[in-house]
Structures are given as C-alpha cells and as structure tokens.
Amino acid sequence: MKILVDAMGGDHSPDEIIKGCVDALSVIESDIVLIGKEDVINAKVKEFYGKENIKEVSERITIKNADTVIQNEESPTSAIKNKKDSSMVVGFNMLKSDEGDAFVSAGSTGAFMAGGLLLVGRIKGIDRPALCPILPTYDGKGFMLVDSGANTNCRSLNLIQFAQMGSIYMNKVMHVENPKVGLLNIGAEEGKGNELTKETYVKFAENKAVNFYGNIEGRDMFTGDVDVVVSDGFTGNVALKTTEGVGAMVNKILKEELKANPWRKFLAMLLMPALKTIKKRMDYSEYGGALLLGIKKPMIKCHGTANAKIVKFTLIQAENFAKNKVVETIIEEMGKEKAKA
Amino acid sequence: MKILVDAMGGDHSPDEIIKGCVDALSVIESDIVLIGKEDVINAKVKEFYGKENIKEVSERITIKNADTVIQNEESPTSAIKNKKDSSMVVGFNMLKSDEGDAFVSAGSTGAFMAGGLLLVGRIKGIDRPALCPILPTYDGKGFMLVDSGANTNCRSLNLIQFAQMGSIYMNKVMHVENPKVGLLNIGAEEGKGNELTKETYVKFAENKAVNFYGNIEGRDMFTGDVDVVVSDGFTGNVALKTTEGVGAMVNKILKEELKANPWRKFLAMLLMPALKTIKKRMDYSEYGGALLLGIKKPMIKCHGTANAKIVKFTLIQAENFAKNKVVETIIEEMGKEKAKA
C-alpha cells in the first residue's frame, strides 16, 4: 500500500510532516509519497536523517513534485480548480487515479473537503461527506464525532448517513461490535432539542441499520457510553473546539501551577510518570486526524497545528483506514440500501 | 435585602441548600427566606447548627412553608400552573409581590424558566429571557455564556438582546468596563457559520450599543479575550455541557492517576496546595449559578447537583445581582431603545 502525504500543508510544514512520515516508517507497512517541492523535501530528508537510515527512507519514501501550496485564506473551490500544481491538487489526482491508497493533509480544511468532493468524488448514496475526529473517553476507547464541521446545515437524512458511516469505521478499524450511536442533543429524553434533533430522533428509532443509543448531552460524550456521536456540522464544530479549548486551559493551568516554584517543580518531576499518563489519557493526537467519510477514497485531515507525532499517528490511522476497507464497505452498504429502496 | 431560596429543589436538597444558606450568612448582608416544608427545614437547621450560632441563624433566616416540590420529570408549565403550594411557586409569588429581592433555586430548570415568564414576567423590550452561567478563563476573570439553554431556536434580534443584557451584568456586577461580546461561531472570519450567525454578525457590526469583538470559536472562549459569549440556546447548551464533560473527565483522570499507588499519593499530598489552586482555577462554582436575565426580578438557577459551597456562592451572586441593580438597568436601557424607535 501507498499513502499520499501533502508535505506542504499545515502550520509546521514541511519539517514536521516529513519527520512524522519518516518516524512512521517503523510502525506502518505502507510506502509513502511525499508531495511538494522536490528540492525542499529532498534537502529536509537529508538534513533530518543520517546516512545509516537513508537507505530505508529512500526505498520507502518517494517524492512527487508540486510547485505551489493552497493557503488557508484562499477560496477552497477556486483554489482546487485553479491551482493544478499545488500539493493538494496533485495529491487528489494521484488518489483518484489509484496512485495511492489514502491521502493525508494538514493544509486548508476547506480545500481538502472541496477537493474530496470535486476531484475524488462522493460515494453514491451519501449526500454529504462528513469530517470525523476521534475524541478521548475515560476508558481510553474514544468516540467518533460526525460531523465536526463539513456541513453547517444538515437534514435528518444526512445525520442518519453520518451514523451509518461512523458505525462502519468504528467497527472495521476500531473493532467495536455493533457500535452505539448517540445523537448530540440538549437533553437525554425523546422530544428534546431543535427541529433537526427531534426529527432525527424519530428516524433513528425506526432505523434498524443503526444501533441507536438515544440522545447524548455534551457532558456525557466522554464516558465511553457511545462509540459514535452524530451532529450537524455547526454544533459538532462548537463541541469539538470547546473540547480543545477546555483541554488547552487545563494544560496551561497545570503547567503554570506545577512550575510556580522550585519545590513544586521538583515534586512534579518526581510525579512525571503520572503526569505523562494523564497527558496521554487526555490527548487525542494518538487517534490521528479527522477522517473525511463519504468520499470514494480514504482521506484524512490532519490538524493544521500537527507536529511530527500527530503526523505519525495519522499515517497509522490512514493505513488502517485503507487496509480495513472502510470505503469499500460504505459503498457496499449504500448499494444494498438502494437495492432495497 | 432578602434572598428567597427554594430549600426543596435540587439533587441534594434540603440538606446542602440549608447548609449553604447558613454558611453564606457570614459573607452576605441579606437575610434569607428558606421556602419548603417548615418542620423539615426547622429540624435540619437545628441538626446542623449548635446552640452557639442558632441565634444569628434564627434572626436572619426565616422559613416560609410550602408543602410540595416540583419534580424534574413534571411538565414545567402545568406544574407552575397547578402546584400552587410548591416551594418554587411560593417563591415566585413572594418575588413578584416584593417579599424578597432575588430568588434562588436548584430545582427543575424548565419550571424555573416557566415560572419566571408566567409568574414574575418578562422585561418589556426583551423578547426572550436567557439562562446565563459564568464560565472560567485562564486569567480568572470568567465570561458569561448567553444563552445556555433557555431558547432552543433564536433569531438575531434575540442574540442582540442577549448581548445587551450580558454586557449590563458584566459591567454592573463584575465591574468590566465596556464588556467585549463574542458571537459563538465555527470560524473567526465574517461570513462564517449558519444563517443565524451570519445575519447576527452583520447586525452586531451595525449596533453601536454593544462592544462587538467578532466571532469567537469554542476553543477561544476560555482565553479571557471576551466577557460575554452570545449563542442560541441549543448551541450554548452543547458548549456548556461539553465544558462540564471535559472538566469531569480531567478531574476523574487526575484523581485516578494521582491515587494509583502509595508513592503517587504521597507526592500528591505534598503537592496539595498546587492541586487545590488548579482545581480552584478550573472550577466555576465560585461564580455561582446561571442567571435568568430578562425577567423583572433577579433570579438565579443553581446547578441541580449543587452542594453547600455552590449554594453559598450563588447567594453571594444573588446579593450582588440585586444590589447592583442589574434588572433596573436592563429595564431602563430597553426603555431608552423603545423611546428611540
């Protein structure tokens, strides 16, 4: 298998992207295609890696030249249409023509979604692809949030499809038997919420294809009670970013207080194993990036701020995404639904 | 001044409510009216407090009998209409007839809002009252979230009014000069979001009465950059409960890891001052409960799970809410707007 990586997207590209890719080589089976300015990538690979492992690197990593980069400020659709020589568009075209099995980018989220839709294409039967990060739970299993921002306005039909796609991923890749799907809402009881959640609740209750848990409130998402949380992209985005915001606040306050004086610093040093485990349990970078589900090929959006560690975990996730035939299963299930209809 | 307290509402009533009230006596000037079953309250007050301070308690706390309680499962509107002898309805009627300056309850949120609207009444010019908790920020100032769940569906007019009410509270009670108002959205730039946030953004930009900061994303709410975050009640509720959920997860993981073995327990004990400060900085119970802004009298909804400490801080907040004439100022400002129109 071959994973295509946009070497030029993201705040810390190309350095952290390239480092993450080389680090991933020891834990994935796939080869990697780094897409971007060939001379820059070549120089970086040489700079970062000594002679002793340059052989493996050069055997398993190839470089595909792309002269430009799509910036966050650009209009996604026109950038995808016009910047044919950008690392993202080159990646999309390679993905489409089967020159790779999955595509990873830390670049513009808007362009990534637009390129998926316009250049790679939607799965038949899926009206709206969705952006799906995996977030942490107490018990370490994690849950998938669908949709975290691809679709600001949704109908209940979209949410049902989100649930189907999320369930397939959680089953195939995370090996969850019969994944439980919660509907993000402002109360646990039926009848709570806005028009969309009320209507969707009723449709979920009738739908046999999804293991519907019921409504789930923001505070209960992290308990591990459900495997997939379904939401329109506006609400899901607010939930995701609020999670990030509280996490960042906690991190900052912990650091400030534990470094406030030499005595605390000393104690914190002795407690380092505990602090590391705490960080690891709250950190969701090990789950990788946000999947773009509903597209004909595996695509993963890495966080714009991704460092080498996150890139490495995203590559592991990309390999599992492709290897476990998530896209193929979604295509098959949607085909069955159509045949029934 | 006199603060009316529903002694029977909430998961830990009446014990924690009564304890919180007696504890508050040393830090507030107001007297307290405990509303609920007289014999139960009397017995509890005697059980909790020795002879030495029973005199102050009996001088400053009076009991108003109410035989029943509105349960969370009851339909709010019909409970308010039919349970005339419930602690909440008795409280609302006392508040309305000026037998108290503010009303605090940890009971059913739905009934609290319904009673405010039906029995106490809306401020003229405010279309929808809003439920407004204060959440923590890095710098300890905190910010107000308006609306956290009173109004599932909102129009831009409602959000403008939320901003006006929130700004008045933050100015009068928290002493923030010219409070900055952020619109909760899924991107910082103008033009991002759903129909409501796009339309509201334009109206805020035209509105001179509000110090509009621009859009604010969930992850930036906790930085202290804005003093008021405005949202429809559905999105606000998801943001609030997600904040609670992440907080609870962090708390649980911290406890588990720091108590995992005797050595860690010992170190954690030595680090106790730091851990206490960390907890305090992330904890928003010291800000009190959620204000119901837009009602003709000061009303505060205490969290259903409130313990004595939270009740105590809510009473401090209730006193400040009444003393600083927030309601009067909102009435005045809305009157001016009407005169201008």
Side-chain angles (χ1 to χ4, degrees), chain B residues 42 94 144 176 215 264:
Chain B
N42 248 324
M94 290 181 76
M144 176 186 278
V176 179
N215 289 324
R264 285 190 187 177

Side-chain angles (χ1 to χ4, degrees), chain B residues 17 22 26 30 39 91 95 117 130 149 155 222 228 233 243 246 278:
Chain B
I17 311 286
V22 181
S26 59
S30 311
D39 49 347
L95 187 67
L117 270 174
R155 292 177 301 142
F222 308 94
V228 178
T243 304
V246 179
I278 290 165

Side-chain angles (χ1 to χ4, degrees), chain A residues 136-138 149 152-153 184-187 193-195 197 217-222 232-235 237-250 252-254 256-258 263-264 267-268 270-271 273-275 277-278 281-282 303, chain B residues 136-138 149 152-153 184-187 193-195 197 217-222 232-235 237-250 252-254 256-258 263-264 267-268 270-271 273-275 277-278 281-282 303:
Chain A
T137 55
Y138 294 161
T152 306
N153 301 301
L184 185 56
N185 209 338
I186 60 172
N194 56 18
E195 300 285 294
T197 57
E217 295 186 78
R219 68 176 143 232
D220 300 322
M221 290 194 293
F222 308 94
D232 68 273
F234 185 90
T235 311
N237 191 271
V238 169
L240 171 66
K241 288 179 181 163
T242 301
T243 304
E244 291 179 2
V246 180
M249 176 168 63
V250 168
K252 198 176 155 86
I253 290 177
L254 272 173
E256 277 178 14
E257 293 300 329
L258 296 180
W263 171 239
R264 286 190 185 175
L267 291 172
L270 296 178
L271 259 176
L275 296 174
T277 316
I278 291 165
R281 288 181 65 184
M282 296 195 299
H303 207 288
Chain B
T137 55
Y138 294 159
T152 306
N153 301 301
L184 185 56
N185 209 337
I186 59 172
N194 56 18
E195 300 285 294
T197 56
E217 295 186 78
R219 69 176 145 232
D220 299 322
M221 290 194 293
F222 308 94
D232 68 273
F234 185 90
T235 311
N237 191 271
V238 169
L240 171 66
K241 288 179 180 161
T242 301
T243 304
E244 290 179 3
V246 179
M249 175 167 63
V250 168
K252 197 176 155 85
I253 291 177
L254 272 175
E256 277 178 15
E257 293 301 328
L258 295 181
W263 171 237
R264 285 190 187 177
L267 291 172
L270 296 178
L271 259 176
L275 296 174
T277 316
I278 290 165
R281 288 180 65 184
M282 296 195 299
H303 207 288

Side-chain angles (χ1 to χ4, degrees), chain B residues 1-7 14-26 28-38 40-46 48-49 53-65 94 311-312 315:
Chain B
M1 285 208 316
K2 205 174 263 180
I3 301 172
L4 309 169
V5 179
D6 171 5
D15 295 32
E16 294 292 316
I17 311 286
I18 297 171
K19 279 185 197 163
C21 285
V22 181
D23 290 352
L25 287 179
S26 59
I28 62 172
E29 296 164 5
S30 311
D31 293 339
I32 295 171
V33 183
L34 276 168
I35 306 166
K37 286 207 168 197
E38 200 167 357
V40 175
I41 299 175
N42 248 324
K44 290 283 175 191
V45 170
K46 280 186 190 136
F48 298 148
Y49 301 93
N53 54 11
I54 198 79
K55 189 162 175 287
E56 195 201 355
V57 168
S58 62
E59 268 169 9
R60 293 182 57 197
I61 294 188
T62 51
I63 300 170
K64 171 79 178 180
N65 188 59
M94 290 181 76
V311 172
K312 176 183 158 187
L315 288 175

Side-chain angles (χ1 to χ4, degrees), chain A residues 34-335:
Chain A
L34 276 168
I35 307 164
K37 287 207 168 196
E38 198 166 0
D39 49 346
V40 174
I41 299 174
N42 247 324
K44 291 283 176 193
V45 171
K46 280 187 191 136
E47 181 190 330
F48 297 150
Y49 301 94
K51 278 182 194 151
E52 64 278 7
N53 53 11
I54 198 77
K55 192 165 171 286
E56 195 202 354
V57 169
S58 62
E59 269 168 10
R60 292 182 57 198
I61 294 188
T62 50
I63 300 169
K64 171 79 178 180
N65 188 60
D67 283 324
T68 65
V69 186
I70 295 177
Q71 305 296 338
N72 280 332
E73 308 74 50
E74 292 181 71
S75 147
T77 315
S78 75
I80 288 296
K81 282 184 181 156
N82 301 322
K83 276 184 135 171
K84 308 266 184 228
D85 60 351
S86 64
S87 51
M88 243 196 221
V89 173
V90 170
F92 285 128
N93 287 328
M94 290 180 76
L95 187 67
K96 191 177 183 179
S97 59
D98 287 327
E99 291 170 70
D101 301 282
F103 182 39
V104 170
S105 174
S108 153
T109 308
F112 192 71
M113 296 189 299
L117 271 174
L118 298 173
L119 301 178
V120 188
R122 247 183 322 119
I123 291 173
K124 254 188 209 159
I126 297 294
D127 293 68
R128 303 274 198 90
L131 213 48
C132 321
I134 312 272
L135 298 180
T137 55
Y138 294 161
D139 54 13
K141 286 189 316 178
F143 71 96
M144 176 186 277
L145 178 63
V146 196
D147 169 33
S148 74
N151 308 284
T152 306
N153 301 301
C154 286
R155 292 176 301 142
S156 59
L157 174 74
N158 306 129
L159 270 61
I160 303 280
Q161 294 174 357
F162 294 169
Q164 293 174 303
M165 296 193 292
S167 299
I168 290 171
Y169 184 92
M170 292 307 279
N171 176 255
K172 290 274 165 190
V173 176
M174 310 289 273
H175 310 296
V176 179
E177 277 290 322
N178 207 12
K180 279 183 277 188
V181 175
L183 176 64
L184 185 56
N185 209 338
I186 60 172
E189 310 84 357
E190 181 176 355
K192 286 272 180 178
N194 56 18
E195 300 285 294
L196 176 66
T197 57
K198 283 181 198 171
E199 192 191 317
T200 307
Y201 189 102
V202 174
K203 292 204 175 163
F204 265 130
E206 290 165 356
N207 190 313
K208 295 280 176 289
V210 166
N211 182 11
F212 184 49
Y213 169 91
N215 290 324
I216 189 143
E217 295 186 78
R219 68 176 143 232
D220 300 322
M221 290 194 293
F222 308 94
T223 55
D225 288 344
V226 299
D227 306 293
V228 178
V229 171
V230 171
S231 167
D232 68 273
F234 185 90
T235 311
N237 191 271
V238 169
L240 171 66
K241 288 179 181 163
T242 301
T243 304
E244 291 179 2
V246 180
M249 176 168 63
V250 168
N251 210 8
K252 198 176 155 86
I253 290 177
L254 272 173
K255 270 193 192 155
E256 277 178 14
E257 293 300 329
L258 296 180
K259 290 182 175 176
N261 60 49
W263 171 239
R264 286 190 185 175
K265 271 189 207 169
F266 171 70
L267 291 172
M269 201 186 66
L270 296 178
L271 259 176
M272 201 45 80
L275 296 174
K276 274 197 178 150
T277 316
I278 291 165
K279 194 162 179 232
K280 200 176 151 82
R281 288 181 65 184
M282 296 195 299
D283 184 15
Y284 53 98
S285 60
E286 292 197 10
Y287 296 115
L291 315 151
L292 187 62
L293 291 180
I295 297 293
K296 285 177 183 163
K297 291 278 183 158
M299 284 177 54
I300 305 185
K301 175 65 185 61
C302 217
H303 207 288
T305 61
N307 57 17
K309 183 185 154 201
I310 297 185
V311 172
K312 176 183 156 186
F313 283 105
T314 307
L315 288 174
I316 300 173
Q317 186 190 25
E319 182 170 271
N320 287 328
F321 191 177
K323 201 165 67 180
N324 290 295
K325 303 203 179 303
V326 175
V327 169
E328 290 82 346
T329 311
I330 296 174
I331 293 172
E332 198 182 302
E333 290 298 318
M334 291 298 125

